[in-house]
Amino acid sequence: FYQGVAWLLSGSPQRAVAPLQRALDAAPPPLRGDAAWYLGLALLDTRTPEAAAAFTAACEAGHRRGCQAARH
C-alpha cells in the first residue's frame, strides 16, 4: 500500500497501480476504502477507464470521497 501511495505522490502513477492493486486485493474490509481510493487516483492519473470501478469500490467500502468521485 505505502509503496503505491509513495509512487503516486512522487508523480509516478503508472508505477503506483500494481502495488495499489495488490494492496486492494489483500486489504481487510476496514482498509479497502483507502486502498481503492488511491488506486482510483492512480488510474485516473494514467487515464485508465477502470478508475471509475476503483472509486465505486472505495464508495462501497465506506470511503466518503470515493462516493463523491464515483458520482462524477
Side-chain angles (χ1 to χ4, degrees):
F1 173 79
Y2 292 110
Q3 181 185 35
V5 172
W7 281 122
L8 179 63
L9 296 178
S10 70
S12 297
Q14 308 89 334
R15 296 182 85 175
V17 171
L20 289 169
Q21 183 63 62
R22 285 192 302 273
L24 178 59
D25 292 343
L31 302 178
R32 287 188 58 78
D34 286 337
W37 169 253
Y38 283 105
L39 176 60
L41 292 177
L43 292 169
L44 186 65
D45 282 354
T46 60
R47 301 177 191 264
T48 304
E50 288 81 12
F55 289 134
T56 298
C59 180
E60 290 171 352
H63 196 281
R64 183 180 54 83
R65 284 183 270 162
C67 294
Q68 292 170 343
R71 283 189 230 121
H72 293 285

